[in-house]
Amino acid sequence: AFGSGVLVGMSVGLRSLGLPVAAGIGLLLLFRRKFRRLFWFCVAGLPLTLLWSWPAVSAVLGPSPSSAYNDAVRSGWTQTVCYYSSYACVWKIHFPSIGAIGSTILLNASLIAPAPGFFLLYPFATRTTILDVVFVILMSGAAYMGIVRDAQRQGWRPLYAIFPLYVLVLLAYPYNPYRFLLPFTPLLFAGVWMEFRHFGDLIAGRLKAGARRGERVGACVLGLGV
């Protein structure tokens, strides 16, 4: 737990998106009533997390160190200065109103939902034919169902607790979320594998001796479809 806290604190220093990682592990330990591990996790991770996240917190709570957001012309230079100097400035440029935040959340949700299928089937997923869209949706659904099924069977793991919190942050992030989801590709692909294995078990069970003919035919059709 102490080592995990150190690594999580360092990850926040690499990117502020390390904050959902810290929150996910902390909440999982709390729900599991692992209070001793939670204590050492916080002892190691909280000081580093506060140290690295303080510039972002101060930029949001206090006045922005950059006045670039006051420019009438939103030039590329202005956006670059904001991006590297002030989170408050970035948000003021990208979200001038509540409606803009809502539009960004809807757009990011439409990108995150089919992400497993997009990653797995790229570059075919870039096409917009009906068959390609159907395959992307099926693969994405299999990934999420496999993750939930495995969590119900083996219990929640830290990665399962981190992923939803991470996605919540990405929903309101003013950039394409795909590259930020890349660290979770092993989880998404594992979900696809576990769901296909579940289908395989169902098909094998219907093909066993003693099963009714209708069940066997249905299992063969389902197997060909998979």
Side-chain angles (χ1 to χ4, degrees):
F2 187 88
S4 297
V6 172
L7 292 176
V8 167
M10 294 172 66
S11 74
V12 177
L14 291 174
R15 192 89 192 187
S16 57
L17 284 171
L19 290 173
V21 179
I25 296 177
L27 288 175
L28 186 64
L29 291 174
L30 180 63
F31 291 152
R32 288 182 174 179
R33 300 182 181 275
K34 304 290 185 179
F35 299 119
R36 183 177 181 181
R37 294 183 181 181
L38 177 61
F39 173 77
W40 288 113
F41 176 77
C42 293
V43 166
L46 192 59
L48 289 173
T49 299
L50 293 176
L51 173 66
W52 295 121
S53 60
W54 174 246
V57 174
S58 63
V60 173
L61 298 180
S64 173
S66 171
S67 61
Y69 62 83
N70 292 321
D71 293 346
V73 180
R74 308 303 188 187
S75 65
W77 169 258
T78 299
Q79 295 182 24
T80 302
V81 171
C82 285
Y83 183 79
Y84 288 105
S85 63
S86 171
Y87 276 94
C89 179
V90 171
W91 276 71
K92 287 184 178 181
I93 285 181
H94 287 89
F95 302 125
S97 65
I98 299 296
I101 298 177
S103 299
T104 300
I105 291 176
L106 291 177
L107 175 61
N108 286 341
S110 68
L111 294 174
I112 293 173
F118 181 84
F119 290 150
L120 190 63
L121 300 175
Y122 186 86
F124 303 104
T126 59
R127 302 183 300 187
T128 57
T129 64
I130 295 179
L131 189 60
D132 293 321
V133 173
V134 168
F135 273 121
V136 169
I137 293 175
L138 288 177
M139 288 296 179
S140 300
Y144 296 128
M145 291 176 64
I147 293 172
V148 173
R149 197 181 307 279
D150 187 66
Q152 293 175 343
R153 182 178 57 187
Q154 301 191 34
W156 281 78
R157 302 177 184 180
L159 197 57
Y160 296 164
I162 293 169
F163 184 65
L165 298 177
Y166 191 90
V167 168
L168 285 177
V169 175
L170 289 186
L171 286 175
Y173 209 68
Y175 295 97
N176 189 309
Y178 279 153
R179 68 189 182 101
F180 299 109
L181 287 173
L182 289 177
F184 291 93
T185 48
L187 173 65
L188 300 176
F189 290 174
V192 174
W193 169 257
M194 287 182 285
E195 190 62 18
F196 271 66
R197 190 172 63 180
H198 173 69
F199 270 105
D201 293 339
L202 291 178
I203 294 171
R206 296 298 184 275
L207 292 178
K208 288 182 179 179
R212 291 180 295 181
R213 181 177 301 177
E215 292 183 350
R216 292 184 181 182
V217 172
C220 291
V221 173
L222 181 60
L224 291 174
V226 173

